[in-house]
Amino acid sequence: MTLQSYPNKRSTTGTSTRVPDVQPTSGMCPICIEECPVLCEISKSAFRGRETLYPSPEYFGRSTAAANKDYGLDWSDLQIMVTVQGAYGIEPDPDKALFPNVDVSTSIAGIPLKVPVFQAGLGSTAVAKRNWDSLAIGAALSGSVTVVGENVCGMDEKAIITNGKVTHSEDLKYRVETYRKFWDGKHGDIFVQTNVEDQRLGVDVYAISKLEVNVIERKWGQGAKAIGGEVRIRTLEKAQLLKKRGYVVIPDPEDPVVIEAFKDGVFESFERHSRVGMPTLRGFVEDVEWLREQGAKKVTLKTGAYRPIDVAFTMKAASEAKVDLVTFDGAGGGTGMSPVPMMQETAIPTVYLEALVLKAAMILKKRGKHVPDIAMAGGFINETQIFKAIAMSNFGDGPFIKAIAQARAPLTAAFKGKYFRKLAEEGKLPPSFKKLYGDEPSKYFVTLPELKRKYGDRVKEIPDGAIALYTYWHDRIRVGLQQLLAGCRKFKLSLIDRKDLASLTERAERVTGIPTIDKLDVDVFEYILS
Ligand code: SF4
């Protein structure tokens, strides 16, 4: 398999090359000419330097970004094996074994979810803030979890910080309350994620004591990068405030030369970076105990796609500390602002990562140790990928992977709902869309009638982005999963297992341990015919 690699042009950085048949290793045009007006990676870097490391800054706040590298192994390397015989989890009766009767509910950290998908931490990055109502209400309507990501209090200009600890945050309060407006109190919940800066500010204690948040998540990283969270800051005043609050802000917003350059329009945004943690086994166990003493009902951990020994360390720490859930985020995914080369070229892609996580889970289980619930993240957008990730994790005693966390996909659904409302109001919906689905939200949102039935007049309080997310999760992913499970004659999500999968490539087989199709059922094949 030839992996795609475009080191000198990327749509994420807005670069291209003069000719398409580039030199494969460097990615440069085979003839690079002096009078070339095209901005390739090298030439954009020659003008804009570090900006070229990032997804085009002009889209920040209104976009998400991820890697576009083919890792040579993804969920399409596994095939779902359907069957014609029997039914599990329901009576084997054709009148009962119907796909709408498949139960795709699950639970994470002891919290029931109506759909096996939830939102990974969406925090201070502008795109999460701008779309918060859609994300939070959409998750609540779907009976799922949303995780408020890192740095929300530290970035909140209206936060009150007394003696270095947050005592009020308008933004965090708003985020929690927005989710709870449509939360049924049973399915899903809102988690608050905390990184190094949040812990210093006491965000955990504030969330538990003042906002009655039940679940605190510790953050060790994300799949898109192995450095702390980053966002762009577009005003000098905010950059200076964040520097005063202890954040790393680049360039220095208090340097007179930088101030002058910013005012002259030489650059349009500052970078705000977060620190990385230095986790130790003992420190983590004590920290989780301390969080429980502070009143956290559940404690979860979110980590990135670090090397295999770190997967082992994370699972060991999570087991010793008896955390309720660990979310592993594979390489390739992303959200707001991660360096593109880091998204492309570092960390472990999701399928490889899950194989390592499962290896660790099996070792712990065999030794009689606590195995926390596990969620996978990293580029999941549809039910087939979700099915495969969960089925692969079931060695016979139920799946280790209880649910899938997403960040970009729910944002895309939210974007669409919101943007198409705007287009509808301006009479600018794409003609083909209008012809097929109607010219206003009451016509084109297929789930609106059921939401009206359920919420009556309150449906007016549901933003279009939330309806879009609900429709995507509840009407597409849930139903899509029901169909796939029914095809395997499994009528409960916890029943799908590794036998429902086959590898299509030898690499997939080697990494996942799932045999290729030619090796499936060989032991009984002849016997059946005898
Ligand atoms: S500067 Fe050279 S390598 Fe870059 S696009 Fe132009 S010709 Fe190609």
Side-chain angles (χ1 to χ4, degrees):
M1 180 184 294
T2 308
L3 304 184
Q4 296 151 4
S5 179
Y6 305 105
N8 200 27
K9 61 172 170 185
R10 290 186 180 122
S11 60
T12 31
T13 54
T15 55
S16 56
T17 48
R18 184 177 60 84
V19 294
D21 57 335
V22 295
Q23 202 281 336
T25 306
S26 68
M28 288 179 71
C29 304
I31 302 177
C32 175
I33 58 173
E34 193 173 302
E35 291 176 341
C36 168
V38 176
L39 285 185
C40 59
E41 284 279 309
I42 303 166
S43 37
K44 186 173 174 186
S45 304
F47 293 115
R48 303 307 300 172
R50 64 192 300 145
E51 268 179 32
T52 320
L53 290 171
Y54 288 97
S56 301
E58 58 271 28
Y59 293 123
F60 179 76
R62 294 176 290 112
S63 65
T64 65
N68 59 356
K69 179 175 176 177
D70 179 349
Y71 296 119
L73 175 63
D74 58 43
W75 297 112
S76 69
D77 291 287
L78 295 171
Q79 192 80 350
I80 297 169
M81 294 293 101
V82 291
T83 182
V84 75
Q85 299 179 64
Y88 299 88
I90 206 163
E91 223 179 296
D93 172 347
D95 287 329
K96 295 189 177 147
L98 303 166
F99 83 83
N101 292 334
V102 173
D103 176 6
V104 296
S105 64
T106 186
S107 72
I108 49 169
I111 300 162
L113 307 184
K114 287 184 183 169
V115 284
V117 62
F118 67 101
Q119 280 162 26
L122 291 162
S124 61
T125 191
V127 72
K129 188 166 169 48
R130 281 167 55 86
N131 293 283
W132 186 255
D133 288 19
S134 301
L135 296 166
I137 295 174
L141 295 175
S142 306
S144 185
V145 157
T146 191
V147 183
V148 182
E150 60 197 357
N151 291 316
V152 169
C153 294
M155 285 279 286
D156 179 359
E157 283 149 296
K158 292 184 186 156
I160 301 172
I161 296 168
T162 316
N163 299 326
K165 300 289 176 194
V166 63
T167 52
H168 176 78
S169 166
E170 203 66 32
D171 194 4
L172 188 59
K173 185 167 176 277
Y174 177 79
R175 293 197 192 208
V176 172
E177 286 174 354
T178 308
Y179 175 81
R180 287 182 177 157
K181 271 207 279 193
F182 282 87
W183 182 40
D184 67 5
K186 283 189 293 200
H187 300 93
D189 203 342
I190 185 158
F191 301 5
V192 171
Q193 187 181 78
T194 48
N195 66 359
V196 174
E197 335 277 339
D198 293 308
Q199 285 181 243
R200 287 183 182 176
L201 280 172
V203 170
D204 36 27
V205 174
Y206 169 70
I208 295 165
S209 61
K210 296 278 174 28
L211 304 177
E212 296 177 349
V213 166
N214 297 315
V215 188
I216 298 296
E217 178 156 285
R218 287 302 194 222
K219 171 123 183 221
W220 286 4
Q222 58 272 304
K225 58 180 175 279
I227 52 177
E230 303 160 79
V231 293
R232 291 200 171 277
I233 306 297
R234 297 208 188 274
T235 69
L236 180 62
E237 296 69 30
K238 187 151 185 184
Q240 290 172 337
L241 172 77
L242 295 176
K243 188 187 170 193
K244 284 195 183 74
R245 286 185 179 174
Y247 282 105
V248 177
V249 180
I250 301 172
D252 182 354
E254 289 172 345
D255 179 336
V257 176
V258 169
I259 294 172
E260 193 183 329
F262 182 74
K263 287 183 175 165
D264 284 350
V266 177
F267 67 100
E268 291 183 348
S269 59
F270 292 86
E271 297 163 20
R272 186 234 65 201
H273 296 266
S274 311
R275 292 169 176 83
V276 292
M278 301 289 157
T280 62
L281 185 59
R282 194 192 184 103
F284 183 66
V285 171
E286 287 173 2
D287 178 45
V288 173
E289 276 169 14
W290 176 82
L291 275 172
R292 294 196 199 281
E293 282 163 21
Q294 300 308 306
K297 294 198 176 69
K298 312 272 180 183
V299 180
T300 65
L301 173 64
K302 163 86 185 292
T303 192
Y306 302 111
R307 58 187 309 135
I309 54 166
D310 294 326
V311 173
F313 171 68
T314 305
M315 287 294 283
K316 165 112 176 157
S319 174
E320 297 271 306
K322 296 200 165 39
V323 301
D324 299 282
L325 170 76
V326 191
T327 302
F328 283 90
D329 185 7
T335 41
M337 177 186 171
S338 298
V340 174
M342 195 165 229
M343 286 199 290
Q344 302 277 118
E345 306 295 337
T346 72
I348 300 180
T350 308
V351 181
Y352 284 96
L353 182 65
E354 181 171 321
L356 288 165
V357 170
L358 297 179
K359 185 175 168 187
M362 286 297 278
I363 292 170
L364 289 170
K365 190 167 181 234
K366 273 190 197 135
R367 293 183 183 165
K369 304 285 187 192
H370 168 73
V371 182
D373 285 354
I374 302 166
M376 288 302 301
F380 289 89
I381 69 138
N382 73 25
E383 59 289 326
T384 64
Q385 301 159 332
I386 294 168
F387 181 109
K388 292 170 187 177
I390 293 175
M392 180 175 143
S393 79
N394 187 353
F395 292 80
D397 294 331
F400 285 114
I401 310 296
K402 301 289 195 289
I404 299 303
Q406 295 180 313
R408 293 189 81 205
L411 271 163
T412 297
F415 286 167
K416 241 353 158 239
K418 204 163 80 166
Y419 182 54
F420 271 44
R421 154 80 65 170
K422 181 173 175 276
L423 292 181
E425 284 173 356
E426 292 169 355
K428 291 181 182 164
L429 279 170
S432 57
F433 179 88
K434 202 158 70 176
K435 193 167 162 216
L436 283 169
Y437 310 118
D439 57 359
E440 55 175 283
S442 65
K443 291 181 187 148
Y444 59 65
F445 275 127
V446 75
T447 55
L448 202 55
E450 73 182 67
L451 287 170
K452 273 186 185 155
R453 191 172 58 240
K454 192 163 178 198
Y455 295 100
D457 255 11
R458 287 193 70 207
V459 85
K460 292 187 202 117
E461 295 168 45
I462 303 175
D464 287 55
I467 300 171
L469 177 52
Y470 171 80
T471 309
Y472 167 51
W473 272 1
H474 179 84
D475 207 55
R476 158 71 200 259
I477 286 190
R478 184 184 62 87
V479 175
L481 270 171
Q482 286 179 314
Q483 294 174 341
L484 293 174
L485 266 85
C488 296
R489 305 293 179 100
K490 304 278 175 84
F491 285 77
K492 280 191 176 31
L493 188 68
S494 58
L495 294 174
I496 56 172
D497 62 27
R498 293 166 68 85
K499 293 198 199 77
D500 296 316
L501 298 175
S503 289
L504 291 172
T505 63
E506 285 173 5
R507 178 182 289 175
E509 180 184 34
R510 199 177 67 240
V511 173
T512 65
I514 290 172
T516 47
I517 294 171
D518 53 305
K519 293 179 190 149
L520 280 192
D521 302 338
V522 281
D523 44 349
V524 290
F525 196 89
E526 255 189 67
Y527 172 75
I528 287 170
L529 293 165
S530 66

Coordinates of all heavy atoms in Angstrom, one line a residue, residues 8 16-19 22 27-43, ligand 1:
N8 N 4.9 19.0 1.2 CA 5.1 20.4 0.8 C 3.8 21.1 0.4 O 3.8 22.2 -0.1 CB 6.2 20.4 -0.4 CG 6.8 21.8 -0.5 OD1 6.8 22.6 0.4 ND2 7.2 22.1 -1.7
S16 N 0.0 24.8 -1.6 CA 0.0 23.9 -2.7 C 1.3 23.9 -3.5 O 2.2 24.7 -3.1 CB -1.2 24.3 -3.6 OG -1.0 25.7 -4.0
T17 N 1.4 23.1 -4.5 CA 2.6 23.2 -5.3 C 2.3 23.6 -6.8 O 1.2 23.4 -7.2 CB 3.3 21.8 -5.3 OG1 2.4 20.8 -5.6 CG2 4.0 21.5 -4.0
R18 N 3.3 24.0 -7.4 CA 3.1 24.6 -8.8 C 2.7 23.4 -9.7 O 1.9 23.6 -10.6 CB 4.4 25.3 -9.2 CG 4.4 25.9 -10.6 CD 5.7 26.7 -10.9 NE 6.8 25.7 -10.9 CZ 7.1 25.0 -12.0 NH1 6.5 25.0 -13.1 NH2 8.2 24.2 -11.9
V19 N 3.4 22.3 -9.6 CA 3.0 21.1 -10.4 C 2.6 19.9 -9.6 O 3.1 19.8 -8.4 CB 4.2 20.7 -11.4 CG1 4.5 21.8 -12.4 CG2 5.5 20.4 -10.5
V22 N 5.2 15.8 -7.9 CA 6.2 16.3 -7.0 C 7.3 15.2 -6.7 O 7.0 14.0 -6.9 CB 5.7 16.8 -5.7 CG1 4.8 18.0 -5.9 CG2 4.9 15.7 -4.9
G27 N 8.5 16.3 -1.5 CA 7.2 16.9 -1.9 C 7.4 18.2 -2.7 O 6.4 18.9 -3.0
M28 N 8.6 18.5 -3.0 CA 8.9 19.7 -3.8 C 8.6 19.5 -5.3 O 8.7 18.3 -5.8 CB 10.3 20.2 -3.7 CG 10.6 20.8 -2.3 SD 12.4 21.3 -2.2 CE 12.4 22.7 -3.3
C29 N 8.3 20.5 -6.0 CA 8.2 20.4 -7.5 C 9.6 19.9 -8.0 O 10.6 20.4 -7.6 CB 7.9 21.7 -8.2 SG 6.4 22.5 -7.5
P30 N 9.6 19.0 -9.0 CA 10.9 18.5 -9.5 C 11.7 19.6 -10.0 O 12.9 19.6 -9.9 CB 10.5 17.5 -10.5 CG 9.0 17.4 -10.6 CD 8.4 18.4 -9.6
I31 N 11.0 20.6 -10.7 CA 11.8 21.8 -11.0 C 11.2 23.0 -10.2 O 10.0 23.4 -10.3 CB 11.6 22.2 -12.5 CG1 12.1 21.0 -13.4 CG2 12.3 23.5 -12.9 CD1 11.9 21.2 -14.9
C32 N 12.0 23.5 -9.3 CA 11.6 24.6 -8.5 C 12.1 25.9 -9.1 O 13.3 26.0 -9.3 CB 12.1 24.5 -7.1 SG 11.7 25.9 -6.0
I33 N 11.2 26.8 -9.5 CA 11.7 27.9 -10.3 C 11.7 29.2 -9.5 O 10.9 29.4 -8.5 CB 10.8 28.1 -11.6 CG1 9.3 28.4 -11.1 CG2 10.9 27.0 -12.5 CD1 8.4 28.7 -12.3
E34 N 12.6 30.1 -9.9 CA 12.7 31.4 -9.1 C 11.4 32.2 -9.2 O 11.0 32.7 -8.2 CB 13.9 32.2 -9.7 CG 14.3 33.3 -8.9 CD 15.6 34.0 -9.5 OE1 16.6 33.2 -9.6 OE2 15.5 35.1 -9.8
E35 N 10.8 32.2 -10.3 CA 9.6 33.1 -10.5 C 8.3 32.3 -10.3 O 7.5 32.1 -11.2 CB 9.6 33.8 -11.8 CG 10.8 34.8 -11.8 CD 10.9 35.5 -13.2 OE1 10.4 35.0 -14.2 OE2 11.5 36.6 -13.2
C36 N 8.1 31.8 -9.1 CA 6.9 30.9 -8.8 C 6.1 31.7 -7.8 O 6.5 32.1 -6.8 CB 7.4 29.6 -8.2 SG 6.0 28.7 -7.5
P37 N 4.8 32.0 -8.2 CA 3.9 32.7 -7.3 C 3.2 31.8 -6.3 O 2.4 32.3 -5.5 CB 2.9 33.3 -8.3 CG 2.8 32.3 -9.4 CD 4.1 31.6 -9.5
V38 N 3.4 30.5 -6.4 CA 2.6 29.6 -5.5 C 3.2 29.5 -4.1 O 4.4 29.5 -4.0 CB 2.6 28.2 -6.2 CG1 1.8 27.2 -5.4 CG2 1.9 28.3 -7.6
L39 N 2.3 29.4 -3.1 CA 2.8 29.2 -1.8 C 2.7 27.7 -1.4 O 1.7 27.2 -1.1 CB 1.9 30.0 -0.8 CG 2.1 31.5 -0.7 CD1 1.2 32.1 0.4 CD2 3.6 31.9 -0.5
C40 N 3.9 27.1 -1.5 CA 4.0 25.7 -1.0 C 4.4 25.9 0.5 O 4.5 27.0 1.1 CB 5.1 25.0 -1.8 SG 6.7 25.7 -1.7
E41 N 4.6 24.7 1.2 CA 4.9 24.8 2.6 C 6.2 25.6 2.9 O 6.2 26.4 3.8 CB 5.1 23.4 3.2 CG 3.9 22.6 3.4 CD 3.2 23.0 4.7 OE1 3.8 22.9 5.8 OE2 2.0 23.3 4.7
I42 N 7.2 25.4 2.0 CA 8.5 26.1 2.2 C 8.2 27.6 2.0 O 8.6 28.4 2.8 CB 9.5 25.6 1.2 CG1 9.8 24.1 1.3 CG2 10.9 26.4 1.4 CD1 10.6 23.5 0.2
S43 N 7.5 27.9 0.9 CA 7.4 29.4 0.6 C 6.5 30.1 1.6 O 6.8 31.2 2.0 CB 7.1 29.6 -0.8 OG 6.2 28.7 -1.3
Ligands
SF4_1 S1 8.4 27.5 -4.7 FE1 9.3 25.7 -5.8 S2 8.6 23.9 -4.7 FE2 7.3 25.6 -4.0 S3 5.5 25.5 -5.4 FE3 6.9 26.9 -6.3 S4 8.1 25.7 -7.8 FE4 7.1 24.3 -6.4

